[in-house]
Amino acid sequence: MNRTLAVTAVGVLAAGVTFAAYKSGAIGPQYADVVSTKPITIKEDVYADVLNVNPITQVVNGTREVCENKLVERRRAERFGNKDGTIIGAVVGGLIGNQMGGGDGRKLATVAGAVGGGYAGREIDRRHVGGKRYTETQRVCRTEDTSKVKTIGYDVQYRMEDGQVLTRREEEKPGDRLWMGQKDVITGYDVTWRYKEKVGYLRMDEKPGMQLPVKDGVVVVESEDFQTAKR
């Protein structure tokens, strides 16, 4: 055989073996299949920007008790009055005198009793304090009708994260932001992979594609081949 033809044949045979090895995965890029991808989530508060706040009011009617201290004029209780003491004293004294003695003596006793009783009654009237006026402080209360304007809520206009502008009613006046609840935020992924007969697990910050690059039998997640594999 011509030596040149022999060299050519060997070269073709070697190229065929190399291509077969590449196709079988013996050499060249190798990948593990991604079996499952489970997102890892945490709860995060969601807020909207408050654009406008309008108070909602209504008129409330009611009553209230109003009390104050006042000076009130009083009059002390009467015992006989200004002249009643003299009259009553004379009558009583005359009755007592009439029961003493007889004839002209009884008459004189009656007159003397009336005079003495009248004098005694007058002295009592002069000395007693009944009927005098005085003042005292008294707590006086009354009920008044009331009417007031009460804020019962607020119409709040706000902007969501996606730019949508909405309005809802709140019992309390909000600040610059309105709490909208919570949402699930993905912080990573738990990935299950399979390479030949081997199954493994790893946690990744980003969601992988269908395959992960393998180098020397180990899954590689920080390489250019991995970025290619994700696509």
Side-chain angles (χ1 to χ4, degrees):
M1 178 183 293
N2 187 302
R3 184 174 181 180
T4 301
L5 292 176
V7 172
T8 302
V10 171
V12 171
L13 180 61
V17 172
T18 301
F19 178 76
Y22 176 82
K23 293 291 291 183
S24 65
I27 60 175
Q30 300 179 34
Y31 298 96
D33 294 326
V34 174
V35 177
S36 66
T37 303
K38 182 180 179 181
I40 305 167
T41 62
I42 60 172
K43 294 292 184 180
E44 185 176 89
D45 291 331
V46 179
Y47 293 92
D49 294 327
V50 174
L51 303 178
N52 192 28
V53 178
N54 292 320
I56 308 301
T57 61
Q58 70 176 19
V59 178
V60 180
N61 296 319
T63 59
R64 65 173 181 173
E65 185 180 51
V66 180
C67 297
E68 57 183 343
N69 293 327
K70 285 188 174 182
L71 289 177
V72 180
E73 188 178 77
R74 299 293 188 187
R75 188 181 181 89
R76 299 189 186 278
E78 292 283 359
R79 236 184 301 178
F80 300 110
N82 294 334
K83 297 181 179 180
D84 290 346
T86 302
I87 296 173
I88 294 174
V91 172
V92 173
L95 291 175
I96 295 175
N98 187 52
Q99 295 177 3
M100 297 180 179
D104 292 338
R106 176 178 293 180
K107 292 179 180 179
L108 291 174
T110 300
V111 173
V115 173
Y119 177 79
R122 185 182 63 184
E123 286 300 308
I124 293 174
D125 281 342
R126 187 175 64 83
R127 294 176 183 178
H128 94 288
V129 294
K132 290 185 177 180
R133 295 180 181 276
Y134 67 96
T135 58
E136 68 176 5
T137 302
Q138 183 178 4
R139 188 72 170 170
V140 180
C141 297
R142 67 182 184 277
T143 300
E144 292 184 349
D145 293 331
T146 61
S147 179
K148 65 178 181 179
V149 178
K150 180 181 179 181
T151 300
I152 61 174
Y154 300 87
D155 281 340
V156 182
Q157 186 182 53
Y158 57 94
R159 180 185 291 112
M160 297 292 293
E161 291 180 347
D162 59 2
Q164 187 178 11
V165 177
L166 302 171
T167 301
R168 78 180 189 189
R169 182 162 296 185
E170 295 287 324
E171 293 183 358
E172 303 292 336
K173 185 177 181 180
D176 295 334
R177 297 197 303 167
L178 187 63
W179 187 74
M180 305 302 297
Q182 291 185 318
K183 67 178 181 180
D184 290 329
V185 177
I186 297 175
T187 60
Y189 297 87
D190 283 334
V191 179
T192 304
W193 55 266
R194 179 185 291 112
Y195 176 67
K196 296 181 178 180
E197 301 300 325
K198 185 178 181 180
V199 175
Y201 308 91
L202 73 157
R203 178 163 293 184
M204 302 177 62
D205 294 335
E206 298 181 6
K207 186 177 181 179
M210 300 300 296
Q211 292 180 317
L212 295 172
V214 176
K215 184 176 182 180
D216 298 329
V218 178
V219 173
V220 180
V221 295
E222 297 291 340
S223 68
E224 294 182 359
D225 289 339
F226 169 61
Q227 299 297 327
T228 302
K230 288 204 303 179
R231 293 194 294 271

